[in-house]
Amino acid sequence: MSRKPTSTDPELAQRLSRRGMLGVAAGATAAALVGAAAPTASATPTAPATPTGPAAAGKGRGRPVLPPGRLGIQLYSLRDKVSSVGFAPVFAELEKYGYDEIEFAGYTQGSAGAITLAQLKRLARDHGLNPIGSHVGYYDDNNPNAYTFAQNLTKVLDDAEALGLKHIGTAAGPFRYGTTVDAWKRAAEDFNTYGEAARKRGMKFYQHNHAEEFSFATDKPKVRLYDVLLAETDPDFVYLEMDIYWAFSAQFRFGKRVDGTAAPFHPLDYVLKQPHRYPLFHVKDGIRDETTRDGYRMTDVGDGDIDYKKFLSKVTARTHHGKRYHHWQTEHDKPVESYAFARKSSEHLHSLRGRCGD
């Protein structure tokens, strides 16, 4: 998937130029490589299914919705491959699929052998991938040596700096002290501390949500906990990575208070109100199913019911002095075949088109 460099950022321009040199042929071989890596029922490869729903609606002429150079993937989605074959083959596949960035979920590669941070950074660069962020634990109060922000902040930031990360965050919710308003205010103080320390290193600290962050405080059932987090964290120190799937799930699960009164919200409204606080997103899809607890069944990006054409268009339209500062990381917690998920998700997001006036 070749794209022309349109940014004045030299590093981004270099990555996009490298991607362009790979040419269409590399992208065309990606599906065959996925087929070779995954078990198949037949030796004859099958053509991709004709997209329906939001995927079909997004195709056609028009302006690409996905900003150039900003497509990443959370490597947790590929943890089976990383642990069995190592980062190098995984990065090679992601390069072929048109990815620009990666978000780490650990820096080791299991049975594939040891790797240093310097080697990992160089390996990503060699495949045109920009390490944009990483998920690290928030706390483990039973283990003073835990690799978490609370227990080993300096080490966590040292490693992130060694990798050249611009963002360093956690996927743990702010539940360290409980589910009351005061408990979340205490957690917000923790986050402000981590964020201030990260900023001194030239990085942004961020928190990645699940659905439960949008639940209500146990002592004040009219107060949504996510609103406490936003209000009590310093916007100069603490940023958010919205997991869009879990935010939509929360819309389903926590659209009413405990007493049954309506408390509707839309994930997009949070972002559009403070777009600068959301530098990162997890692009995760789901099929609507109100018989399930979460209201959705997770699926590959493009196969579900979340309208990513609308979501990306609305967010990327909010620029600051013409600068785009959002990064989009595809993710699936339990993909059927992780390489196939990565390829399909990239193809879908690159296919989305908006009107010139969007």
Side-chain angles (χ1 to χ4, degrees):
M1 300 174 185
S2 66
R3 280 162 282 160
K4 297 179 180 179
T6 58
S7 169
T8 57
D9 180 350
E11 182 182 353
L12 174 59
Q14 183 179 17
R15 293 201 312 273
L16 294 181
S17 176
R18 172 184 172 83
R19 197 62 42 78
M21 291 188 336
L22 288 174
V24 177
T29 61
L33 288 167
V34 169
T40 58
S42 170
T44 304
T46 57
T50 302
T52 59
K59 293 181 182 296
R61 298 180 178 179
R63 175 185 57 82
V65 170
L66 182 70
R70 292 303 177 97
L71 179 63
I73 189 167
Q74 167 50 253
L75 292 173
Y76 180 76
S77 305
L78 295 158
R79 61 194 181 278
D80 62 324
K81 299 295 192 295
V82 171
S83 64
S84 60
V85 301
F87 286 108
V90 171
F91 289 176
E93 291 299 297
L94 295 178
E95 183 178 20
K96 293 169 186 173
Y97 303 160
Y99 282 93
D100 310 291
E101 300 176 335
I102 47 174
E103 182 182 34
F104 288 105
Y107 311 133
T108 59
Q109 50 183 4
S111 62
I115 187 170
T116 67
L117 295 180
Q119 290 171 332
L120 189 53
K121 179 181 180 181
R122 183 166 57 252
L123 186 64
R125 184 186 64 226
D126 289 346
H127 288 286
L129 297 169
N130 180 33
I132 194 65
S134 179
H135 284 186
V136 176
Y138 167 18
Y139 68 95
D140 183 349
D141 292 334
N142 295 319
N143 179 7
N145 297 316
Y147 189 77
T148 62
F149 282 96
Q151 277 68 43
N152 276 292
L153 176 61
T154 299
K155 173 62 174 171
V156 167
L157 296 182
D158 284 347
D159 290 350
E161 194 170 24
L163 284 165
L165 301 183
K166 295 180 180 178
H167 309 82
I168 180 68
T170 184
F175 295 98
R176 184 182 189 184
Y177 308 108
T179 56
T180 65
V181 170
D182 284 343
W184 274 52
K185 287 183 177 180
R186 286 184 65 191
E189 291 177 6
D190 287 347
F191 285 8
N192 285 332
T193 298
Y194 310 151
E196 184 175 12
R199 181 171 177 172
K200 290 178 180 178
R201 307 267 197 125
M203 292 178 283
K204 293 180 179 179
F205 169 81
Y206 64 96
Q207 192 269 341
H208 162 284
N209 66 275
H210 292 85
E212 287 73 19
E213 281 86 337
F214 294 88
S215 62
F216 297 94
T218 50
D219 60 330
K220 297 182 179 179
K222 291 186 178 181
V223 176
R224 195 180 298 280
L225 288 172
Y226 195 70
D227 295 335
V228 177
L229 178 66
L230 285 169
E232 297 295 329
T233 50
D234 188 325
D236 289 331
F237 296 151
V238 178
Y239 297 84
L240 294 308
E241 175 180 61
M242 178 174 280
D243 186 304
I244 300 167
Y245 171 90
W246 287 121
F248 271 87
S249 171
Q251 185 185 41
F252 171 77
R253 290 179 59 189
F254 304 112
K256 292 182 179 180
R257 300 183 183 90
V258 178
D259 63 5
T261 57
F265 73 93
H266 197 290
L268 189 57
D269 291 339
Y270 275 103
V271 180
L272 296 183
K273 186 176 181 179
Q274 301 184 71
H276 61 287
R277 294 203 73 179
Y278 293 87
L280 304 172
F281 292 90
H282 272 192
V283 181
K284 185 186 298 180
D285 213 343
I287 298 170
R288 183 76 173 183
D289 185 352
E290 297 187 6
T291 66
T292 67
R293 183 201 67 166
D294 295 325
Y296 290 87
R297 288 182 287 110
M298 200 175 296
T299 189
D300 293 348
V301 178
D303 291 344
D305 297 316
I306 297 177
D307 188 348
Y308 276 109
K309 176 183 175 182
K310 176 181 178 181
F311 201 100
L312 268 77
S313 295
K314 292 288 186 180
V315 174
T316 56
R318 289 294 183 97
T319 62
H320 182 67
H321 300 304
K323 296 180 180 179
R324 298 189 186 275
Y325 42 79
H326 301 292
H327 303 262
W328 306 89
Q329 319 294 310
T330 66
E331 188 185 33
H332 193 314
D333 291 357
K334 296 180 180 179
V336 174
E337 209 297 312
S338 53
Y339 277 156
F341 157 75
R343 173 181 54 80
K344 287 170 59 181
S345 299
S346 174
E347 288 176 350
H348 174 70
L349 293 172
H350 281 107
S351 77
L352 296 179
R353 295 290 185 272
R355 295 172 298 180
C356 294
D358 283 352

